[in-house]
Amino acid sequence: RPAFLSTPLRYFLVVAQLGSVSAAAEQLHVAASAISRQLSKLEDSLGLVLFERKQRGMALTAAGVQLATQLRATSWLTLVSE
């Protein structure tokens, strides 16, 4: 988990990886409502819908896939250059 990522972006990546807010909350040791709130704020600030909310979990939208790919690439490059 790269330290330079903001809380909303870290939460986004964990939910994207696990496909579930509740699973992410368990892994991150934070309330699911806090993660949901941060994801909503992130989507609002970007003006994008990043997840398709399903009855059982969350699936990335095309915009979410792009953001996750970019964050992972940037995180990897930053970690390699340190």
Side-chain angles (χ1 to χ4, degrees):
R1 174 185 109 198
F4 72 93
L5 288 178
S6 68
T7 298
L9 291 176
R10 282 191 297 115
Y11 289 0
F12 165 77
L13 284 176
V14 175
V15 173
Q17 178 183 3
L18 300 177
S20 163
V21 170
S22 57
E26 188 174 313
Q27 181 174 316
L28 295 166
H29 305 288
V30 297
S33 61
I35 293 176
S36 292
R37 197 167 35 255
Q38 290 293 329
L39 292 178
S40 291
K41 286 181 181 181
L42 179 61
E43 288 178 319
D44 288 346
S45 70
L46 296 174
L48 298 169
V49 176
L50 301 172
F51 289 99
E52 181 183 337
R53 276 92 173 149
K54 299 185 173 205
Q55 196 170 17
R56 294 230 176 234
M58 309 265 280
L60 288 172
T61 62
V65 170
Q66 281 189 308
L67 179 59
T69 301
Q70 184 61 44
L71 288 173
R72 288 178 185 130
T74 302
S75 300
W76 173 250
L77 291 173
T78 301
L79 291 173
V80 167
S81 67
E82 289 178 345

